[in-house]
mmCIF file of all heavy atoms in Angstrom:
data_model
loop_
_atom_site.group_PDB
_atom_site.id
_atom_site.type_symbol
_atom_site.label_atom_id
_atom_site.label_comp_id
_atom_site.label_asym_id
_atom_site.label_seq_id
_atom_site.Cartn_x
_atom_site.Cartn_y
_atom_site.Cartn_z
ATOM 1 N N ILE A 1 -36.783 48.006 -106.640
ATOM 2 C CA ILE A 1 -35.878 48.847 -105.850
ATOM 3 C C ILE A 1 -35.669 48.246 -104.468
ATOM 4 O O ILE A 1 -34.556 48.229 -103.950
ATOM 5 C CB ILE A 1 -36.443 50.285 -105.740
ATOM 6 C CG1 ILE A 1 -36.412 50.963 -107.106
ATOM 7 C CG2 ILE A 1 -35.679 51.099 -104.712
ATOM 8 C CD1 ILE A 1 -37.050 52.334 -107.110
ATOM 9 N N LEU A 2 -36.748 47.755 -103.869
ATOM 10 C CA LEU A 2 -36.676 47.226 -102.507
ATOM 11 C C LEU A 2 -35.756 46.013 -102.386
ATOM 12 O O LEU A 2 -34.973 45.915 -101.431
ATOM 13 C CB LEU A 2 -38.076 46.866 -102.001
ATOM 14 C CG LEU A 2 -38.958 48.030 -101.605
ATOM 15 C CD1 LEU A 2 -40.395 47.562 -101.380
ATOM 16 C CD2 LEU A 2 -38.417 48.701 -100.360
ATOM 17 N N GLU A 3 -35.838 45.091 -103.339
ATOM 18 C CA GLU A 3 -35.053 43.854 -103.244
ATOM 19 C C GLU A 3 -33.545 44.103 -103.225
ATOM 20 O O GLU A 3 -32.856 43.568 -102.351
ATOM 21 C CB GLU A 3 -35.435 42.897 -104.366
ATOM 22 C CG GLU A 3 -36.779 42.260 -104.160
ATOM 23 C CD GLU A 3 -37.220 41.368 -105.307
ATOM 24 O OE1 GLU A 3 -36.475 41.256 -106.314
ATOM 25 O OE2 GLU A 3 -38.314 40.786 -105.206
ATOM 26 N N PRO A 4 -32.993 44.904 -104.140
ATOM 27 C CA PRO A 4 -31.541 45.133 -104.073
ATOM 28 C C PRO A 4 -31.115 45.878 -102.799
ATOM 29 O O PRO A 4 -30.067 45.566 -102.232
ATOM 30 C CB PRO A 4 -31.237 45.979 -105.312
ATOM 31 C CG PRO A 4 -32.405 45.852 -106.203
ATOM 32 C CD PRO A 4 -33.564 45.492 -105.356
ATOM 33 N N ILE A 5 -31.939 46.823 -102.343
ATOM 34 C CA ILE A 5 -31.595 47.534 -101.103
ATOM 35 C C ILE A 5 -31.624 46.564 -99.930
ATOM 36 O O ILE A 5 -30.740 46.589 -99.069
ATOM 37 C CB ILE A 5 -32.556 48.727 -100.859
ATOM 38 C CG1 ILE A 5 -32.389 49.782 -101.944
ATOM 39 C CG2 ILE A 5 -32.306 49.345 -99.484
ATOM 40 C CD1 ILE A 5 -33.405 50.909 -101.879
ATOM 41 N N GLU A 6 -32.631 45.696 -99.905
ATOM 42 C CA GLU A 6 -32.731 44.695 -98.832
ATOM 43 C C GLU A 6 -31.507 43.786 -98.820
ATOM 44 O O GLU A 6 -30.956 43.484 -97.759
ATOM 45 C CB GLU A 6 -34.008 43.874 -99.003
ATOM 46 C CG GLU A 6 -34.227 42.866 -97.902
ATOM 47 C CD GLU A 6 -35.526 42.091 -98.061
ATOM 48 O OE1 GLU A 6 -36.375 42.471 -98.878
ATOM 49 O OE2 GLU A 6 -35.679 41.085 -97.336
ATOM 50 N N CYS A 7 -31.058 43.369 -99.991
ATOM 51 C CA CYS A 7 -29.856 42.514 -100.072
ATOM 52 C C CYS A 7 -28.622 43.254 -99.574
ATOM 53 O O CYS A 7 -27.803 42.684 -98.841
ATOM 54 C CB CYS A 7 -29.636 42.034 -101.498
ATOM 55 S SG CYS A 7 -30.819 40.800 -102.030
ATOM 56 N N GLU A 8 -28.490 44.505 -99.964
ATOM 57 C CA GLU A 8 -27.339 45.294 -99.507
ATOM 58 C C GLU A 8 -27.346 45.423 -97.986
ATOM 59 O O GLU A 8 -26.313 45.281 -97.345
ATOM 60 C CB GLU A 8 -27.335 46.686 -100.151
ATOM 61 C CG GLU A 8 -26.997 46.684 -101.614
ATOM 62 C CD GLU A 8 -25.596 46.196 -101.917
ATOM 63 O OE1 GLU A 8 -24.634 46.736 -101.370
ATOM 64 O OE2 GLU A 8 -25.465 45.260 -102.717
ATOM 65 N N ILE A 9 -28.504 45.686 -97.404
ATOM 66 C CA ILE A 9 -28.595 45.820 -95.944
ATOM 67 C C ILE A 9 -28.315 44.481 -95.277
ATOM 68 O O ILE A 9 -27.593 44.414 -94.280
ATOM 69 C CB ILE A 9 -29.970 46.381 -95.529
ATOM 70 C CG1 ILE A 9 -30.092 47.841 -95.980
ATOM 71 C CG2 ILE A 9 -30.178 46.264 -94.021
ATOM 72 C CD1 ILE A 9 -31.461 48.448 -95.791
ATOM 73 N N ALA A 10 -28.850 43.402 -95.817
ATOM 74 C CA ALA A 10 -28.666 42.079 -95.220
ATOM 75 C C ALA A 10 -27.196 41.664 -95.198
ATOM 76 O O ALA A 10 -26.716 41.117 -94.205
ATOM 77 C CB ALA A 10 -29.494 41.042 -95.968
ATOM 78 N N TYR A 11 -26.489 41.929 -96.287
ATOM 79 C CA TYR A 11 -25.119 41.447 -96.400
ATOM 80 C C TYR A 11 -24.058 42.478 -96.040
ATOM 81 O O TYR A 11 -22.902 42.123 -95.841
ATOM 82 C CB TYR A 11 -24.858 40.919 -97.815
ATOM 83 C CG TYR A 11 -25.679 39.693 -98.107
ATOM 84 C CD1 TYR A 11 -26.748 39.756 -98.987
ATOM 85 C CD2 TYR A 11 -25.412 38.483 -97.477
ATOM 86 C CE1 TYR A 11 -27.530 38.637 -99.246
ATOM 87 C CE2 TYR A 11 -26.180 37.362 -97.718
ATOM 88 C CZ TYR A 11 -27.237 37.449 -98.604
ATOM 89 O OH TYR A 11 -28.005 36.343 -98.845
ATOM 90 N N LYS A 12 -24.442 43.739 -95.971
ATOM 91 C CA LYS A 12 -23.432 44.783 -95.752
ATOM 92 C C LYS A 12 -23.825 45.753 -94.638
ATOM 93 O O LYS A 12 -23.447 46.914 -94.668
ATOM 94 C CB LYS A 12 -23.200 45.566 -97.043
ATOM 95 C CG LYS A 12 -22.664 44.704 -98.173
ATOM 96 C CD LYS A 12 -22.502 45.496 -99.438
ATOM 97 C CE LYS A 12 -22.047 44.587 -100.572
ATOM 98 N NZ LYS A 12 -22.057 45.276 -101.855
ATOM 99 N N SER A 13 -24.559 45.285 -93.635
ATOM 100 C CA SER A 13 -25.009 46.199 -92.583
ATOM 101 C C SER A 13 -23.832 46.818 -91.831
ATOM 102 O O SER A 13 -23.866 48.008 -91.510
ATOM 103 C CB SER A 13 -25.954 45.498 -91.612
ATOM 104 O OG SER A 13 -25.310 44.420 -90.967
ATOM 105 N N SER A 14 -22.789 46.047 -91.583
ATOM 106 C CA SER A 14 -21.634 46.619 -90.869
ATOM 107 C C SER A 14 -20.909 47.639 -91.755
ATOM 108 O O SER A 14 -20.427 48.662 -91.260
ATOM 109 C CB SER A 14 -20.667 45.531 -90.400
ATOM 110 O OG SER A 14 -20.229 44.757 -91.487
ATOM 111 N N LEU A 15 -20.848 47.403 -93.046
ATOM 112 C CA LEU A 15 -20.247 48.361 -93.968
ATOM 113 C C LEU A 15 -21.069 49.655 -93.997
ATOM 114 O O LEU A 15 -20.517 50.751 -93.967
ATOM 115 C CB LEU A 15 -20.157 47.774 -95.376
ATOM 116 C CG LEU A 15 -19.642 48.709 -96.471
ATOM 117 C CD1 LEU A 15 -18.154 48.946 -96.289
ATOM 118 C CD2 LEU A 15 -19.926 48.129 -97.840
ATOM 119 N N ILE A 16 -22.385 49.516 -94.001
ATOM 120 C CA ILE A 16 -23.263 50.691 -93.995
ATOM 121 C C ILE A 16 -23.078 51.477 -92.698
ATOM 122 O O ILE A 16 -22.988 52.701 -92.715
ATOM 123 C CB ILE A 16 -24.735 50.278 -94.204
ATOM 124 C CG1 ILE A 16 -24.910 49.650 -95.587
ATOM 125 C CG2 ILE A 16 -25.670 51.466 -94.016
ATOM 126 C CD1 ILE A 16 -26.230 48.931 -95.791
ATOM 127 N N GLU A 17 -22.985 50.771 -91.572
ATOM 128 C CA GLU A 17 -22.741 51.449 -90.292
ATOM 129 C C GLU A 17 -21.413 52.192 -90.323
ATOM 130 O O GLU A 17 -21.303 53.307 -89.806
ATOM 131 C CB GLU A 17 -22.759 50.451 -89.144
ATOM 132 C CG GLU A 17 -24.139 49.969 -88.787
ATOM 133 C CD GLU A 17 -24.138 48.987 -87.632
ATOM 134 O OE1 GLU A 17 -23.205 49.029 -86.798
ATOM 135 O OE2 GLU A 17 -25.081 48.187 -87.556
ATOM 136 N N MET A 18 -20.397 51.577 -90.926
ATOM 137 C CA MET A 18 -19.097 52.229 -91.032
ATOM 138 C C MET A 18 -19.195 53.498 -91.880
ATOM 139 O O MET A 18 -18.672 54.542 -91.498
ATOM 140 C CB MET A 18 -18.072 51.279 -91.653
ATOM 141 C CG MET A 18 -16.697 51.896 -91.816
ATOM 142 S SD MET A 18 -15.613 50.961 -92.890
ATOM 143 C CE MET A 18 -16.380 51.215 -94.476
ATOM 144 N N ILE A 19 -19.888 53.419 -93.006
ATOM 145 C CA ILE A 19 -20.055 54.586 -93.877
ATOM 146 C C ILE A 19 -20.783 55.691 -93.121
ATOM 147 O O ILE A 19 -20.394 56.859 -93.177
ATOM 148 C CB ILE A 19 -20.817 54.203 -95.170
ATOM 149 C CG1 ILE A 19 -19.938 53.313 -96.051
ATOM 150 C CG2 ILE A 19 -21.256 55.447 -95.933
ATOM 151 C CD1 ILE A 19 -20.671 52.665 -97.217
ATOM 152 N N MET A 20 -21.824 55.320 -92.387
ATOM 153 C CA MET A 20 -22.589 56.308 -91.620
ATOM 154 C C MET A 20 -21.725 56.946 -90.530
ATOM 155 O O MET A 20 -21.786 58.152 -90.320
ATOM 156 C CB MET A 20 -23.813 55.650 -90.985
ATOM 157 C CG MET A 20 -24.748 55.010 -91.968
ATOM 158 S SD MET A 20 -25.804 56.159 -92.763
ATOM 159 C CE MET A 20 -26.805 56.629 -91.407
ATOM 160 N N THR A 21 -20.919 56.153 -89.863
ATOM 161 C CA THR A 21 -20.050 56.680 -88.802
ATOM 162 C C THR A 21 -19.024 57.638 -89.383
ATOM 163 O O THR A 21 -18.812 58.729 -88.847
ATOM 164 C CB THR A 21 -19.338 55.529 -88.067
ATOM 165 O OG1 THR A 21 -20.329 54.653 -87.529
ATOM 166 C CG2 THR A 21 -18.459 56.057 -86.950
ATOM 167 N N ILE A 22 -18.407 57.254 -90.472
ATOM 168 C CA ILE A 22 -17.398 58.114 -91.096
ATOM 169 C C ILE A 22 -18.038 59.409 -91.586
ATOM 170 O O ILE A 22 -17.462 60.480 -91.444
ATOM 171 C CB ILE A 22 -16.680 57.369 -92.244
ATOM 172 C CG1 ILE A 22 -15.783 56.280 -91.653
ATOM 173 C CG2 ILE A 22 -15.868 58.334 -93.096
ATOM 174 C CD1 ILE A 22 -15.179 55.346 -92.659
ATOM 175 N N ASP A 23 -19.259 59.335 -92.134
ATOM 176 C CA ASP A 23 -19.952 60.541 -92.594
ATOM 177 C C ASP A 23 -20.279 61.495 -91.450
ATOM 178 O O ASP A 23 -20.374 62.696 -91.649
ATOM 179 C CB ASP A 23 -21.242 60.185 -93.331
ATOM 180 C CG ASP A 23 -21.000 59.752 -94.765
ATOM 181 O OD1 ASP A 23 -19.848 59.882 -95.235
ATOM 182 O OD2 ASP A 23 -21.955 59.278 -95.403
ATOM 183 N N GLN A 24 -20.462 60.956 -90.247
ATOM 184 C CA GLN A 24 -20.819 61.792 -89.107
ATOM 185 C C GLN A 24 -19.607 62.479 -88.478
ATOM 186 O O GLN A 24 -19.758 63.463 -87.764
ATOM 187 C CB GLN A 24 -21.530 60.975 -88.034
ATOM 188 C CG GLN A 24 -22.901 60.541 -88.474
ATOM 189 C CD GLN A 24 -23.555 59.613 -87.471
ATOM 190 O OE1 GLN A 24 -22.977 59.265 -86.457
ATOM 191 N NE2 GLN A 24 -24.774 59.193 -87.777
ATOM 192 N N ILE A 25 -18.424 61.958 -88.730
ATOM 193 C CA ILE A 25 -17.217 62.550 -88.161
ATOM 194 C C ILE A 25 -16.901 63.830 -88.906
ATOM 195 O O ILE A 25 -16.788 63.847 -90.121
ATOM 196 C CB ILE A 25 -16.023 61.576 -88.260
ATOM 197 C CG1 ILE A 25 -16.303 60.299 -87.477
ATOM 198 C CG2 ILE A 25 -14.750 62.251 -87.757
ATOM 199 C CD1 ILE A 25 -15.265 59.223 -87.687
ATOM 200 N N GLU A 26 -16.790 64.892 -88.176
ATOM 201 C CA GLU A 26 -16.444 66.167 -88.782
ATOM 202 C C GLU A 26 -14.985 66.470 -88.435
ATOM 203 O O GLU A 26 -14.652 66.687 -87.281
ATOM 204 C CB GLU A 26 -17.358 67.278 -88.266
ATOM 205 C CG GLU A 26 -18.784 67.105 -88.711
ATOM 206 C CD GLU A 26 -19.666 68.241 -88.244
ATOM 207 O OE1 GLU A 26 -19.144 69.331 -87.934
ATOM 208 O OE2 GLU A 26 -20.878 68.016 -88.180
ATOM 209 N N PHE A 27 -14.163 66.441 -89.445
ATOM 210 C CA PHE A 27 -12.754 66.731 -89.243
ATOM 211 C C PHE A 27 -12.490 68.199 -89.509
ATOM 212 O O PHE A 27 -12.939 68.741 -90.506
ATOM 213 C CB PHE A 27 -11.877 65.883 -90.179
ATOM 214 C CG PHE A 27 -11.913 64.426 -89.845
ATOM 215 C CD1 PHE A 27 -12.610 63.541 -90.637
ATOM 216 C CD2 PHE A 27 -11.239 63.945 -88.735
ATOM 217 C CE1 PHE A 27 -12.648 62.198 -90.338
ATOM 218 C CE2 PHE A 27 -11.266 62.597 -88.434
ATOM 219 C CZ PHE A 27 -11.967 61.729 -89.230
ATOM 220 N N GLU A 28 -11.785 68.811 -88.607
ATOM 221 C CA GLU A 28 -11.366 70.186 -88.832
ATOM 222 C C GLU A 28 -9.981 70.127 -89.450
ATOM 223 O O GLU A 28 -9.128 69.359 -89.016
ATOM 224 C CB GLU A 28 -11.357 70.951 -87.524
ATOM 225 C CG GLU A 28 -12.744 71.043 -86.929
ATOM 226 C CD GLU A 28 -12.873 72.195 -85.962
ATOM 227 O OE1 GLU A 28 -12.010 73.087 -85.972
ATOM 228 O OE2 GLU A 28 -13.849 72.177 -85.208
ATOM 229 N N PRO A 29 -9.716 70.955 -90.456
ATOM 230 C CA PRO A 29 -8.450 70.877 -91.165
ATOM 231 C C PRO A 29 -7.239 71.155 -90.275
ATOM 232 O O PRO A 29 -6.164 70.678 -90.548
ATOM 233 C CB PRO A 29 -8.572 71.919 -92.272
ATOM 234 C CG PRO A 29 -9.722 72.776 -91.899
ATOM 235 C CD PRO A 29 -10.587 71.983 -90.982
ATOM 236 N N ASN A 30 -7.422 71.893 -89.198
ATOM 237 C CA ASN A 30 -6.297 72.237 -88.331
ATOM 238 C C ASN A 30 -6.074 71.224 -87.214
ATOM 239 O O ASN A 30 -5.152 71.370 -86.432
ATOM 240 C CB ASN A 30 -6.497 73.634 -87.728
ATOM 241 C CG ASN A 30 -6.561 74.707 -88.797
ATOM 242 O OD1 ASN A 30 -6.001 74.541 -89.880
ATOM 243 N ND2 ASN A 30 -7.260 75.788 -88.519
ATOM 244 N N GLN A 31 -6.940 70.221 -87.109
ATOM 245 C CA GLN A 31 -6.776 69.231 -86.061
ATOM 246 C C GLN A 31 -5.609 68.301 -86.381
ATOM 247 O O GLN A 31 -5.415 67.899 -87.518
ATOM 248 C CB GLN A 31 -8.053 68.397 -85.886
ATOM 249 C CG GLN A 31 -9.145 69.114 -85.169
ATOM 250 C CD GLN A 31 -8.800 69.407 -83.719
ATOM 251 O OE1 GLN A 31 -8.117 68.635 -83.053
ATOM 252 N NE2 GLN A 31 -9.257 70.556 -83.244
ATOM 253 N N LYS A 32 -4.911 67.958 -85.361
ATOM 254 C CA LYS A 32 -3.718 67.121 -85.498
ATOM 255 C C LYS A 32 -4.111 65.642 -85.455
ATOM 256 O O LYS A 32 -4.924 65.235 -84.638
ATOM 257 C CB LYS A 32 -2.758 67.454 -84.360
ATOM 258 C CG LYS A 32 -1.460 66.718 -84.417
ATOM 259 C CD LYS A 32 -0.572 67.129 -83.250
ATOM 260 C CE LYS A 32 0.698 66.314 -83.248
ATOM 261 N NZ LYS A 32 1.491 66.587 -82.063
ATOM 262 N N SER A 33 -3.516 64.866 -86.351
ATOM 263 C CA SER A 33 -3.693 63.421 -86.318
ATOM 264 C C SER A 33 -2.543 62.810 -85.539
ATOM 265 O O SER A 33 -1.415 63.302 -85.572
ATOM 266 C CB SER A 33 -3.714 62.845 -87.732
ATOM 267 O OG SER A 33 -4.854 63.279 -88.415
ATOM 268 N N VAL A 34 -2.850 61.749 -84.804
ATOM 269 C CA VAL A 34 -1.826 61.078 -83.998
ATOM 270 C C VAL A 34 -1.829 59.592 -84.329
ATOM 271 O O VAL A 34 -2.824 59.042 -84.792
ATOM 272 C CB VAL A 34 -2.061 61.280 -82.477
ATOM 273 C CG1 VAL A 34 -1.916 62.725 -82.085
ATOM 274 C CG2 VAL A 34 -3.404 60.734 -82.049
ATOM 275 N N LEU A 35 -0.713 58.956 -84.045
ATOM 276 C CA LEU A 35 -0.593 57.516 -84.207
ATOM 277 C C LEU A 35 -1.048 56.878 -82.904
ATOM 278 O O LEU A 35 -0.546 57.220 -81.830
ATOM 279 C CB LEU A 35 0.853 57.136 -84.524
ATOM 280 C CG LEU A 35 1.090 55.684 -84.917
ATOM 281 C CD1 LEU A 35 0.322 55.349 -86.195
ATOM 282 C CD2 LEU A 35 2.560 55.426 -85.127
#
C-alpha cells in the first residue's frame, strides 16, 4: 500500500494540492460567478 501512495505523492503532489484546495472551497449555490 505504501509504495503506490508514495509514487502518487512523488509524481502528483501539485495535483493532490489542487484536489485538496478545490475540496476546501465551499461554493454557495446563490453566489455569482464572474469572468
Side-chain angles (χ1 to χ4, degrees):
I1 292 175
L2 285 169
E3 287 176 359
I5 295 173
E6 183 178 348
C7 288
E8 289 296 305
I9 291 172
Y11 294 108
K12 298 178 184 172
S13 61
S14 57
L15 176 72
I16 296 167
E17 286 181 26
M18 179 194 69
I19 290 169
M20 301 280 292
T21 302
I22 289 171
D23 280 352
Q24 291 174 358
I25 299 172
E26 293 182 21
F27 292 106
E28 297 202 16
N30 298 334
Q31 284 294 326
K32 183 179 176 186
S33 293
V34 295
L35 188 62

